[in-house]
């Protein structure tokens, strides 16, 4: 399996898997800006070669550390060559006792008898597997990319694979008896009957809010998990050529993710051999609060170099952060060549313009585009792709089949299939997507009552802040593109429809004397003549650099056009509708603004060569109006000449 544009990321995972076994634990590798697509691809590469677990820490409900450990255990327990089948009897014993709500905590002797009876009833290994599977609850966990099933089917798959243990001839009494005996050396400085520790575990779990009960419970379960993993690997863990087992964690920047990873790093800080390589993804950076000595941020294509000692002989930091770069046009082109050779070569250019390098968006759109039987003569090819239904989910799964647009929205918003869509939060984001900047979006949200000043917190705050790029003339990210399409689909007379929202934002810009913002929203409303008139008045008056900078920002305004004809024809039609003489200075600038506006929209048609040729000619003609620096407009003309060749 090939992960296009992610070769270096895969190399980093390989480094933490294969770093020296006799050294300190490898750092936790955190990919920032990465989501499920990367880890799903890595899981496909690991499947059948190395034991691994792929768990989503952005689970709905209220899972905690115990549920995460159960999910890790039954995923790592899938049979794998060279490693055999890893078993987790200590963890299973702890769960059985911990969850027994009938245990008599007031009568110690009665509690001991109850625990002994409970464990005797669960001697079978198949019951141990069921215990761990049920313990994971609704925590979403990933399977190999070739399987791609939700947890319900994952549980059945794993039960079938691991249930074979129940038919083995060795003594289950010996295995679970030894697991129970292990608890005799835990929770105390000296040995004592294992049942005493198990009674305490039950107490800690049933009263988690009392003192340090939750912390003691989680520490004991982590110790059981690590002891099971170490025992399962046996002498294999001392063989330097055998890679570590791998834990893949999505959404590590959630509250659950922070807690789990912090505990894992704290417990492995002793420096002893650790059989796990931990790889996580986070939508946003979340390690900024840690001391600089405990973390390191890798530059693009920088290796970990774990085979060598750290700087000045110091230990390697506990955390390594790697901000994932987006896919480049070259990456997308290679993917098309390998996987979709029959696809029109201009469709990937549209996909890249829309997705801005997002790997999942690129992959999903190209897969769907490859299934389109024929393309329209005009434009809106991406609109056609986004409206298609995704492939039907596997039989007997709970996954909802939806359009490509909704699937992308759910992914980029972190919404699970069990969540209603759209919800109030999505509708709020849809309205705010019309804003030109994040600051303007916040003003809109609070001023219109969509949010209160005290309510602008949490996930909505993070999502809203991520809808705008840092550069004012940069293209919008794919989530904002999708939300703007949802806004355009609202009724024309809606209170929060396209026209009403942009009118309000334009008035606010005028009140603040924000001329660029006022022109931006005027163009979004289709007032091309007004916008072109401004740039005609300022041509040759403003310096070329300032004039171009304002123009580039304004033409990023979103459109709600249907694009029924080829782009060059559409630009001429829009310009003629203003009544400007095509051969006049106003006519040329009107045509230029219209063409740049269409070129900035990925939903404009793929036949763009003539559009960019026209932009080149108009830039050269308008350059004569600027006596301070004509070279800047000539350079813009040259840029669009190159782009015209790309689209032929």
């Amino acid at each position: 399996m090939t992960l296009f544009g992610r070769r270096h990321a895969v190399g980093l995972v390989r480094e933490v898997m294969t770093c020296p076994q006799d050294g300190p634990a490898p750092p936790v590798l955190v990919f920032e800006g990465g989501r499920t697509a990367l880890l799903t691809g890595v899981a496909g590469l690991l499947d059948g070669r190395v034991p691994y677990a792929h768990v989503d820490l952005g689970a709905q409900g209220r899972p905690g550390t115990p549920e995460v450990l159960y999910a890790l255990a039954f995923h790592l327990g899938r049979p794998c060559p060279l490693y055999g089948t890893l078993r987790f009897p200590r963890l299973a014993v702890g769960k059985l006792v911990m969850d027994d709500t009938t245990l008599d905590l007031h009568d110690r002797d009665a509690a001991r008898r109850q625990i002994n009876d409970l464990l005797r009833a669960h001697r079978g290994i198949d019951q141990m597997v069921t215990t761990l599977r049920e313990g994971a609850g609704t925590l979403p966990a990933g399977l190999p990319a070739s399987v791609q099933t939700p947890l319900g089917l994952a549980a059945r798959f794993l039960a079938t694979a691991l249930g074979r243990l129940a038919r083995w001839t060795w003594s289950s009494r010996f295995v679970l008896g030894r697991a129970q005996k292990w608890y005799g050396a835990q929770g105390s400085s000296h040995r004592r009957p294992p049942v005493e520790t198990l009674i305490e575990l039950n107490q800690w779990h049933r009263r988690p809010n009392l003192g340090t009960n939750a912390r003691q419970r989680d520490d004991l379960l982590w110790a059981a998990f690590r002891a099971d993993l170490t025992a399962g690997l046996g002498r294999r863990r001392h063989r330097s050529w055998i890679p570590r087992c791998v834990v893949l964690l999505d959404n590590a920047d959630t509250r659950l993710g922070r807690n789990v990873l912090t505990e894992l790093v704290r417990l492995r800080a002793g420096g002893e051999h650790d059989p796990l390589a931990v790889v996580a993804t986070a939508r946003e950076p979340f390690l900024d609060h840690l001391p600089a000595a405990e973390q390191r941020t890798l530059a693009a294509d920088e290796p970990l170099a774990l085979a060598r000692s750290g700087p000045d002989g110091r230990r390697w930091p506990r955390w390594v952060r790697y901000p994932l770069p987006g896919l480049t046009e070259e990456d997308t082109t290679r993917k098309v060549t390998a996987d979709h050779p029959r696809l029109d070569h201009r469709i990937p250019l549209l996909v890249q313009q829309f997705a801005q390098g997002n790997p999942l968006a690129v992959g999903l759109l190209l897969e769907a585009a490859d299934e389109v039987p024929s393309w329209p003569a005009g434009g809106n090819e991406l609109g056609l792709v986004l409206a298609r239904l995704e492939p039907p989910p596997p039989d007997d799964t709970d996954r909802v089949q939806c359009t490509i647009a909704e699937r992308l929205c759910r992914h980029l918003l972190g919404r699970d299939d069990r969540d209603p869509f759209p919800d109030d939060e999505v509708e709020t984001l849809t309205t705010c997507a019309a804003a030109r900047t994040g600051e303007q979006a916040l003003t809109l949200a609070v001023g219109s009552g969509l949010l209160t000043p005290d309510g602008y917190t949490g996930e909505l705050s993070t999502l809203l802040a991520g809808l705008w790029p840092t550069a004012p003339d940069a293209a919008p990210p794919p989530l904002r593109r999708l939300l703007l399409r949802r806004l355009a689909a609202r009724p024309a007379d809606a209170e929060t429809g396209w026209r009403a929202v942009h009118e309000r934002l334009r008035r606010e810009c005028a009140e603040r004397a924000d001329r660029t913002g006022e022109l931006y929203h005027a163009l979004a409303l289709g007032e091309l003549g007004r916008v072109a008139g401004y740039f005609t008045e300022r041509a040759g008056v403003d310096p070329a650099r300032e004039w171009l900078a304002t123009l580039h920002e304004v033409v990023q305004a979103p459109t709600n056009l249907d694009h029924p004809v080829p782009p060059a024809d559409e630009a001429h039609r829009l310009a003629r509708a203003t009544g400007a003489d095509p051969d006049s200075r106003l006519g040329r600038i009107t045509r230029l603004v219209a063409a740049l506006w269409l070129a900035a929209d990925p939903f404009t048609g793929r036949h763009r060569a003539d559009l960019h040729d026209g932009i080149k000619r108009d830039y050269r003609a308008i350059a004569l109006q600027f006596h301070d620096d004509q070279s800047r407009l000539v350079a813009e003309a040259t840029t669009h000449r190159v782009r015209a060749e790309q689209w032929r």
Side-chain angles (χ1 to χ4, degrees):
M1 178 179 180
T2 303
L3 283 169
F4 289 94
R6 294 292 180 253
R7 180 177 299 176
H8 183 64
V10 173
L12 295 177
V13 175
R14 185 180 297 112
E15 282 196 73
V16 296
M17 289 169 55
T18 59
C19 68
Q21 300 277 5
D22 55 352
V28 174
L29 179 59
V30 180
F31 293 112
E32 295 176 349
R35 294 296 302 280
T36 307
L38 172 61
L39 293 193
T40 299
V42 171
L45 296 175
L46 296 173
D47 188 36
R49 299 177 177 89
V50 177
Y52 75 95
H54 181 187
V55 177
D56 184 356
L57 297 178
Q60 302 297 312
R62 302 188 65 182
T65 298
E67 288 77 15
V68 173
L69 288 173
Y70 305 147
L72 295 179
F74 70 69
H75 273 243
L76 289 169
R78 285 182 290 119
C80 184
L82 294 180
Y83 297 82
T85 301
L86 302 177
R87 301 179 295 275
F88 294 84
R90 296 167 182 81
L91 189 62
V93 166
K95 175 177 171 23
L96 284 171
V97 174
M98 188 174 75
D99 289 352
D100 187 357
T101 58
T102 66
L103 196 67
D104 190 345
L105 298 180
H106 302 289
D107 187 337
R108 204 75 170 184
D109 290 334
R112 294 188 189 99
R113 289 193 297 272
Q114 285 178 282
I115 288 177
N116 288 329
D117 291 342
L118 175 67
L119 295 180
R120 275 196 296 270
H122 288 80
R123 290 290 189 187
I125 303 298
D126 56 339
Q127 292 169 310
M128 179 187 75
V129 172
T130 301
T131 296
L132 293 176
R133 185 186 69 234
E134 293 174 350
T138 59
L139 186 72
L143 278 174
S146 59
V147 180
Q148 290 295 311
T149 54
L151 185 59
L153 188 56
R156 291 191 289 276
F157 175 84
L158 290 165
T160 301
L162 300 183
R164 297 171 185 169
L165 291 170
R167 298 193 293 272
W168 287 14
T169 57
W170 46 268
S171 171
S172 62
R173 178 181 299 276
F174 171 74
V175 173
L176 291 185
R178 186 169 59 181
Q180 179 181 351
K181 184 179 180 181
W182 175 85
Y183 283 90
Q186 308 302 315
S188 175
S189 59
H190 59 277
R191 284 196 170 273
R192 59 176 179 165
V195 72
E196 300 297 329
T197 302
L198 291 171
I199 291 174
E200 289 180 350
L201 176 61
N202 185 278
Q203 291 175 323
W204 297 333
H205 183 61
R206 290 166 67 176
R207 300 169 184 170
N209 297 323
L210 182 62
T212 60
N213 280 2
R215 175 73 169 269
Q216 294 182 87
R217 174 202 64 191
D218 292 349
D219 283 358
L220 184 57
L221 293 180
W222 270 111
F225 173 82
R226 291 170 63 86
D228 282 331
L229 186 59
T230 300
L233 291 171
R235 286 176 293 182
R236 300 182 188 89
R237 62 193 174 94
H238 298 297
R239 300 171 185 169
S240 59
W241 55 273
I242 293 186
R244 287 175 167 84
C245 303
V246 183
V247 169
L248 306 172
L249 302 174
D250 270 324
N251 291 302
D253 50 336
T254 60
R255 177 180 295 182
L256 175 61
R258 294 167 189 258
N259 291 341
V260 168
L261 285 177
T262 300
E263 288 302 295
L264 186 149
V265 170
R266 180 179 65 84
L267 293 170
R268 75 194 317 200
E272 72 279 6
H273 168 80
D274 194 290
L276 284 180
V278 182
V279 181
T281 62
R283 186 160 45 193
E284 301 291 338
F286 71 103
L287 300 173
D288 293 334
H289 65 287
L290 294 176
E294 293 190 11
Q295 58 176 300
R296 178 180 173 185
T297 301
L298 296 179
D301 297 333
E302 180 183 359
L304 277 169
L306 291 177
R308 299 187 295 272
S309 300
D312 303 325
R314 291 175 295 178
R315 292 180 57 182
W316 192 261
R318 298 180 184 180
W319 306 84
V320 168
R321 303 162 61 177
Y322 183 65
L324 281 169
L327 296 181
T328 64
E329 280 191 15
E330 183 182 354
D331 295 327
T332 303
T333 301
R334 290 207 319 269
K335 181 173 178 59
V336 171
T337 302
D339 298 340
H340 313 287
R342 295 178 299 174
L343 196 61
D344 186 319
H345 74 278
R346 293 164 291 191
I347 299 299
L349 298 177
L350 296 175
V351 169
Q352 181 68 12
Q353 185 184 11
F354 170 86
Q356 296 296 301
N358 182 289
L360 183 133
V362 169
L364 194 57
L365 288 171
L366 289 178
E367 290 285 348
D370 209 13
E371 300 297 324
V372 176
S374 62
W375 298 107
N380 201 27
E381 291 91 344
L382 277 187
L384 184 65
V385 172
L386 288 170
R388 290 180 64 86
L389 280 176
E390 64 179 348
D395 293 340
D396 69 357
T397 70
D398 298 328
R399 180 174 174 179
V400 176
Q401 185 181 21
C402 55
T403 64
I404 301 296
E406 182 178 332
R407 177 58 58 200
L408 275 176
C409 263
R410 284 182 177 274
H411 166 74
L412 295 171
L413 290 167
R415 293 292 190 271
D416 190 79
D417 275 1
R418 292 172 299 223
D419 297 335
F421 188 89
D423 56 14
D424 292 342
E425 198 169 85
V426 173
E427 296 294 6
T428 298
L429 287 169
T430 298
T431 302
C432 293
R436 189 171 74 92
T437 64
E439 181 182 359
Q440 190 182 36
L442 175 58
T443 303
L444 172 65
V446 175
S448 61
L450 295 171
L451 290 176
T452 64
D454 294 335
Y456 188 67
T457 57
E459 184 182 15
L460 184 59
S461 171
T462 302
L463 290 170
L464 202 55
L467 292 182
W468 288 270
T470 53
D473 60 345
L479 176 58
R480 185 164 169 240
R481 297 273 197 198
L482 292 167
L483 294 174
L484 284 167
R485 286 182 66 82
R486 296 187 61 83
L487 179 65
R490 288 177 176 173
D493 58 349
E495 185 178 350
T496 56
W498 183 278
R499 175 158 291 278
V501 174
H502 280 290
E503 284 280 12
R504 174 174 181 157
L505 292 170
R506 181 174 63 175
R507 288 195 303 270
E508 291 177 357
C509 289
E511 292 170 1
R512 299 196 309 270
D514 177 5
R515 180 54 61 89
T516 302
E518 187 179 357
L519 293 170
Y520 176 95
H521 293 292
L523 189 57
L525 290 166
E527 298 177 7
L528 175 62
R530 176 180 176 180
V531 174
Y534 170 83
F535 284 105
T536 303
E537 292 175 5
R538 306 309 303 176
V541 178
D542 294 339
R545 173 184 291 182
E546 180 181 327
W547 191 86
L548 280 172
T550 304
L551 177 65
H552 289 161
E553 290 186 44
V554 169
V555 296
Q556 289 298 326
T559 79
N560 60 348
L561 303 173
D562 295 331
H563 305 303
V565 296
D569 294 343
E570 188 171 13
H572 284 283
R573 181 181 298 182
L574 290 171
R576 284 196 301 269
T578 66
D581 179 0
D583 296 325
S584 67
R585 181 172 69 168
L586 174 61
R588 292 190 184 94
I589 292 180
T590 302
R591 193 166 54 242
L592 175 67
V593 173
L596 290 172
W597 187 35
L598 293 175
D601 183 5
F603 296 96
T604 301
R606 69 193 186 280
H607 300 289
R608 299 193 183 195
D610 291 342
L611 181 74
H612 287 285
D613 278 335
I615 294 174
K616 174 196 69 177
R617 290 192 297 270
D618 287 329
Y619 262 132
R620 287 186 175 276
I622 297 166
L624 299 175
Q625 307 297 321
F626 292 86
H627 303 293
D628 68 314
D629 191 357
Q630 296 181 1
S631 64
R632 291 186 181 276
L633 277 80
V634 173
E636 290 290 328
T638 302
T639 297
H640 286 276
R641 177 177 60 80
V642 174
R643 290 181 183 173
E645 294 303 318
Q646 290 179 319
W647 289 94
R648 293 198 193 283

